[in-house]
Amino acid sequence: MFSLYHDRPFNIRYAVHQQNGRYTPELLRTHRTARASWLYIHRQHGIDLVGPTPDWSVRDDLVAYGRCAPARAASHTSLDGVGLWDQADAHAAAIRPDEPVLAHAVGSLPIGEDVASWRNLIEGFAEDHLTSQGMAVDWAIHHRVGTNDTPEILPHLHMLITTRVFDPSHVDVGRVRQNWLRTDKARKSLTEKWWAHSGLVPRSYTIAA
């Protein structure tokens, strides 16, 4: 049986305002705007440019969250919390609604470790491979231990990654950065970096000799 955890331990999709037939009903809820994605990974309920989102606050699997960002992003209080993603939505709507607002990555986490270990793993990866290139990242860990009444949710992370210039002082603010996860090669490279960093690889993956 196909397992997202074991067969596809890292996956990248985009939030795009101008959607198409490739969007499943779930993606139409979580990837319709940057704000919707932020509310989803933080398990909150709210309203985005489309209207009310599903009430993700009823889910009980959020165990930690945070942000990794270049210093210039942290210096603007208007970018705190969901403000960063509201800015991304505004720029996408005004500039190119058919271009990605953000990259939404989902990655499996090692089973049996604690939250502190997972946080170190995520922040080290984000700082080495994303913020060092200028991108900002909001991340959240979802996990739930199974009981007789509730199924187990294996530990995994969500990362919301900027695809646009977010620095309000920059002349290109709001415009897509073409070298920020915009190609199949870039997505594949980041995926393989996560496999190496986390030690979790697809069951079908063969390490070259």
Side-chain angles (χ1 to χ4, degrees):
M1 180 180 294
F2 177 83
S3 163
L4 182 66
Y5 193 90
H6 296 292
D7 294 286
R8 202 174 183 183
F10 195 81
N11 180 45
I12 300 171
R13 283 180 164 152
Y14 298 116
V16 182
H17 287 188
Q18 187 172 306
Q19 294 149 0
N20 55 44
R22 292 176 298 174
Y23 277 70
T24 65
E26 180 67 17
L27 287 179
L28 286 172
R29 292 189 288 268
T30 61
H31 287 55
R32 67 193 193 186
T33 61
R35 171 176 269 259
S37 285
W38 189 91
L39 292 169
Y40 174 77
I41 73 166
H42 288 87
R43 296 309 196 215
Q44 294 187 21
H45 179 51
I47 299 173
D48 66 359
L49 296 174
V50 179
T53 66
D55 187 3
W56 292 304
S57 68
V58 299
R59 302 192 184 186
D60 61 355
D61 57 348
L62 176 64
V63 297
Y65 60 89
R67 171 172 291 177
C68 297
R72 63 183 178 275
S75 66
H76 296 281
T77 57
S78 63
L79 302 182
D80 288 348
V82 74
L84 172 65
W85 308 107
D86 284 342
Q87 182 196 76
D89 279 329
H91 288 144
I95 299 172
R96 287 290 298 276
D98 58 336
E99 289 280 357
V101 184
L102 58 78
H104 186 155
V106 182
S108 300
L109 292 167
I111 295 173
E113 297 191 5
D114 59 18
V115 174
S117 296
W118 290 331
R119 177 189 289 269
N120 288 336
L121 187 76
I122 295 165
E123 292 182 340
F125 180 79
E127 290 166 4
D128 286 348
H129 302 297
L130 298 167
T131 64
S132 61
Q133 304 300 314
M135 291 170 267
V137 182
D138 271 359
W139 58 267
I141 299 171
H142 295 168
H143 173 53
R144 184 175 66 204
V145 176
T147 67
N148 291 334
D149 299 319
T150 58
E152 178 184 27
I153 296 177
L154 293 174
H156 62 279
L157 80 145
H158 292 261
M159 290 191 295
L160 306 185
I161 307 166
T162 51
T163 56
R164 295 170 181 267
V165 177
F166 50 79
D167 184 348
S169 65
H170 198 286
V171 66
D172 289 330
V173 62
R175 300 194 179 280
V176 171
R177 273 282 182 259
Q178 292 301 325
N179 61 337
W180 288 3
L181 295 180
R182 294 289 291 115
T183 65
D184 290 340
K185 182 178 179 180
R187 291 190 296 273
K188 182 175 184 291
S189 176
L190 190 67
T191 296
E192 291 178 342
K193 287 181 172 69
W194 178 255
W195 294 348
H197 188 75
S198 67
L200 300 171
V201 300
R203 287 184 289 203
S204 59
Y205 182 69
T206 301
I207 299 176

